[in-house]
Amino acid sequence: MTDPKHALGHAHADLMGVAFESFDKEREEITLRFHAPDSFITPRGSVQGGLVAGFLDEVMGWAHVWATDQAEAPLNLEISMSLLKPVRAGPLVGKGRVVRRGRKVIFLEGELFDETGTLLARSTSTAIPTPRPTGEN
């Protein structure tokens, strides 16, 4: 099995500057670090909203992957996001957690913070558990 701390190294994760920080097994909560590049910034001066959703999707998904010891990955049915403050270019911290995991449905939460701990955005997801994809067709 691939070392899960390095499994984040897919092209999309590299684009977001993803780095693993920690996983709390008891809380089923993962902490990832991101780096929002200047190319994500809109004329308003903040990260484009869909790209903010990408950071949140990443932390929620990895929370489930880690909670299942790398065996499963969630397939999103619905994601809801609230943008609370502008997300600027640079370092970010994401926290994702499993709220409830059933055999057929998973409920996830995500939060995105700046380096000072200010909450910038939060999300929820309803997903279905699937075997973790290998990337091979």
Side-chain angles (χ1 to χ4, degrees):
M1 178 188 298
T2 305
D3 178 356
K5 291 179 185 168
H6 294 90
L8 298 171
H10 298 284
H12 75 279
D14 292 343
L15 184 64
M16 294 186 291
V18 180
F20 173 86
E21 184 170 298
S22 64
F23 179 70
D24 182 329
K25 182 76 172 166
E26 186 176 312
R27 296 187 68 207
E28 295 188 328
E29 180 178 85
I30 196 165
T31 302
L32 301 177
R33 293 205 167 263
F34 297 99
H35 190 275
D38 290 337
S39 60
F40 283 19
I41 302 302
T42 70
R44 291 186 187 273
S46 58
V47 174
Q48 192 271 344
L51 298 171
V52 173
F55 293 124
L56 293 164
D57 182 23
E58 197 74 2
V59 294
M60 290 187 296
W62 280 106
H64 179 74
V65 170
W66 276 69
T68 61
D69 294 323
Q70 322 302 315
E72 293 180 355
L75 179 60
N76 289 317
L77 299 173
E78 177 271 337
I79 295 177
S80 176
M81 174 181 71
S82 296
L83 294 165
L84 306 172
K85 292 191 177 267
V87 177
R88 306 288 182 203
L92 300 166
V93 177
K95 291 187 178 286
R97 73 193 59 79
V98 177
V99 175
R100 183 170 181 271
R101 185 176 57 251
R103 286 190 344 234
K104 296 186 178 192
V105 179
I106 311 158
F107 298 94
L108 306 166
E109 290 180 340
E111 296 170 317
L112 192 63
F113 302 88
D114 67 15
E115 276 194 307
T116 68
T118 300
L119 180 61
L120 305 173
R122 64 173 16 141
S123 61
T124 60
S125 174
T126 305
I128 57 175
T130 64
R132 186 164 173 218
T134 62
E136 299 171 7
N137 294 330

